[in-house]
Structure formats: C-alpha cells, structure tokens
Amino acid sequence: MAEFEKVATLDEIPTGGRLSLVFDDRAVLVFRIGEELYAVEDVCSHDGQPLTDGALEGTSIECPRHGARFDVRSGRPLCMPAVEPIATFEVRVQGNDILLRAP
Ligand code: FES
C-alpha cells in the first residue's frame, strides 16, 4: 500500500479554502472545510473539466462546465450529468503538515 506523503502545510489552506497541487502525477484539489480536510482528483468524471474553480456548497463541489456536483468526502456524484465518482485521496495531518495517500 502506498505511503502517506507530505504535500502542503495547514497555513497554505485557510478554513474554507482550497489548494491545487500535483500528487502521484495527478491534479489534486485539497479542501479545508471546518476542521476537516478532503482531497479529490481535480478532474470531472463527466468530461474531464478541472473542478478547481467550481463552487463549493457544504461538502459538494460543482463542476463549472455542465454543473455536475460531487461529494468531496467520497467522490460520489450527486447529480447529472456525472454518473461516475471522482477519485479521492486519504488525508492525514501531522503537526502542521498535510499528507496524502494515493488510492
Ligand atoms: S465536464 Fe463536468 S459536468 Fe461535464
């Protein structure tokens, strides 16, 4: 199983913020929602649009292209036109460091 790797620090993502990065050769979007951190692959499962600038409502991110929404906790699609989930990454916090593990 893959190891956790440091990708950022907590001060890079204020509460309510997000950070785009590359991890495991994939574009990843990390969200800080309340006290929790979530990481998803930054690629819509409908037609490949980056979710980087999508509107976040609660734990739901909207694809800016055709409006599909995904739950960032699970990657699960919440509405059409997406029917497939997006990948998620395990997140761990160690001190001030944010670590991810590839699925
Ligand atoms: S590319 Fe995201 S909804 Fe179509």
Side-chain angles (χ1 to χ4, degrees):
M1 181 172 273
E3 297 295 316
F4 280 91
E5 291 177 37
K6 178 184 172 182
V7 295
T9 56
L10 284 174
D11 27 291
E12 291 178 79
I13 315 179
T15 300
R18 63 181 76 175
L19 181 68
S20 297
L21 50 89
V22 174
F23 173 68
D24 199 35
D25 292 327
R26 298 154 88 172
V28 174
L29 199 50
V30 181
F31 298 94
R32 186 170 179 179
I33 303 172
E35 295 303 309
E36 301 295 328
L37 290 157
Y38 303 99
V40 302
E41 188 165 21
D42 193 7
V43 179
C44 180
S45 65
H46 175 237
D47 200 22
Q49 170 77 28
L51 301 168
T52 319
D53 298 320
L56 185 71
E57 199 178 300
T59 55
S60 160
I61 181 79
E62 182 179 65
C63 176
R65 188 142 157 224
H66 307 115
R69 300 191 72 89
F70 301 90
D71 190 324
V72 300
R73 299 170 297 181
S74 62
R76 189 170 62 93
L78 300 173
C79 69
M80 296 293 278
V83 292
E84 297 292 328
I86 54 175
T88 59
F89 298 80
E90 280 187 79
V91 185
R92 182 179 283 177
V93 175
Q94 266 176 8
N96 193 43
D97 295 341
I98 299 170
L99 297 83
L100 297 185
R101 179 158 73 183

